[in-house]
Amino acid sequence: MTIDPSSPIKITAFKWVPEFAQGQVRDLRVRWALEEVGQRYEVQYLVLGEHKEPPHRARHPFGQVPTYQDTEVTLFESGAIVLHIAERFEGLLPGNRAARARAIQWMFSALNTIEPPLMDYAIVTLFEAGKPWSEPRRPTVEARIHERLSELSRRLGDRRWLDGDGFTAGDLLMVSVLRIVEGKGLVEQYENLAAYMARGIARPGFKKALADQLSGFARTPPPEASEWMEKQQQAE
């Protein structure tokens, strides 16, 4: 769908992030969900530091993105937003009650079971890569990842999607989470998971959402970016 300034649906996103984060910021999950259900939306871009100011904290108490607003509700947390979109519009949740519950189950599984160890990998290899404790932690982190991915691989089996042939919000979030370590040789060790992730990112809705997110980023960092990144590193 086209990004539409007149849409009653508004999301927030960062105007600039470091290159390694582009394509990973979690407004991508919300954009993808909106594409899958065929809804136009407006994007409010936040400049560096604006996400920590009172106007945005009124939407998101933790000063992060994304947030979502429509005519009925203002929400934060990408998982909650995707669930709201899936419940409000057709296309991401099955009509059958039991199948719907299973799809929601996979949404929670993606965020609560699979994402934490993958984010630990990002921390030890990227955000805290220079810290003395990071490299010693890495084998434990990778072992935990493989425990979870092997379990997920066994459960997926030869299914096209997590609950069979139909793509759901559970798949949307699971593929989004697996992408955190795309190309790192982790998911790729499991043939069916790699194929599953590839099916997800081949969907037209994902491609459009990713292209729109990437096109919205400023091409050069703002003047205050160096100071901000230095403070972030000191705070870790």
Side-chain angles (χ1 to χ4, degrees):
M1 287 290 104
T2 303
I3 295 176
D4 181 0
S6 67
S7 173
I9 297 174
K10 179 187 293 186
I11 71 170
T12 52
F14 289 131
K15 185 59 180 173
W16 175 86
V17 294
E19 187 174 352
F20 69 79
Q22 295 180 17
Q24 291 288 353
V25 187
R26 291 174 186 174
D27 62 280
L28 178 60
R29 303 173 184 185
V30 177
R31 292 173 188 260
W32 186 8
L34 290 167
E35 292 294 338
E36 291 287 345
V37 299
Q39 292 299 308
R40 296 170 180 258
Y41 61 96
E42 176 186 1
V43 183
Q44 178 182 347
Y45 287 101
L46 304 177
V47 299
L48 193 62
E50 194 175 0
H51 59 300
K52 299 298 185 182
E53 297 298 324
H56 185 63
R57 284 194 185 272
R59 294 183 292 255
H60 197 312
F62 306 111
Q64 299 173 319
V65 299
T67 61
Y68 168 101
Q69 293 173 272
D70 60 23
T71 57
E72 299 175 349
V73 67
T74 299
L75 295 171
F76 63 93
E77 289 296 334
S78 59
I81 296 168
V82 170
L83 179 57
H84 173 72
I85 292 168
E87 290 184 325
R88 184 177 176 191
F89 306 106
E90 292 185 2
L92 282 173
L93 286 177
N96 176 274
R97 186 184 226 174
R100 191 181 188 93
R102 290 194 299 270
I104 294 171
Q105 155 193 272
W106 281 115
M107 295 178 69
F108 280 86
S109 176
L111 300 179
N112 292 343
T113 303
I114 304 300
E115 187 167 32
L118 299 189
M119 283 305 301
D120 280 346
Y121 181 86
I123 290 170
V124 300
T125 62
L126 184 61
F127 297 110
E128 296 183 355
K131 303 297 182 181
W133 58 79
S134 292
E135 197 58 32
R137 283 192 62 222
R138 183 167 175 167
T140 301
V141 168
E142 291 188 1
R144 191 180 304 118
I145 288 171
H146 284 299
E147 178 183 11
R148 290 304 186 212
L149 292 184
S150 64
E151 292 166 339
L152 180 62
S153 175
R154 286 196 296 272
R155 183 57 182 264
L156 178 64
D158 60 0
R159 297 181 184 91
R160 182 169 177 79
W161 303 112
L162 289 169
D163 200 44
D165 293 329
F167 178 85
T168 73
D171 296 296
L172 187 151
L173 288 181
M174 188 64 78
V175 171
S176 297
V177 165
L178 293 176
R179 284 190 65 248
I180 294 171
V181 293
E182 182 183 4
K184 304 299 183 183
L186 296 168
V187 177
E188 291 79 5
Q189 292 187 38
Y190 304 87
E191 184 176 353
N192 63 339
L193 289 186
Y196 167 74
M197 182 171 64
R199 282 192 293 274
I201 63 180
R203 292 179 69 85
F206 175 82
K207 290 181 177 180
K208 180 66 164 60
L210 179 61
D212 285 341
Q213 186 192 64
L214 294 176
S215 69
F217 289 125
R219 292 295 171 251
T220 56
E224 62 272 23
S226 296
E227 181 181 354
W228 178 81
M229 292 180 71
E230 183 177 345
K231 287 181 179 178
Q232 293 295 109
Q233 292 171 351
Q234 291 173 351
E236 291 172 354

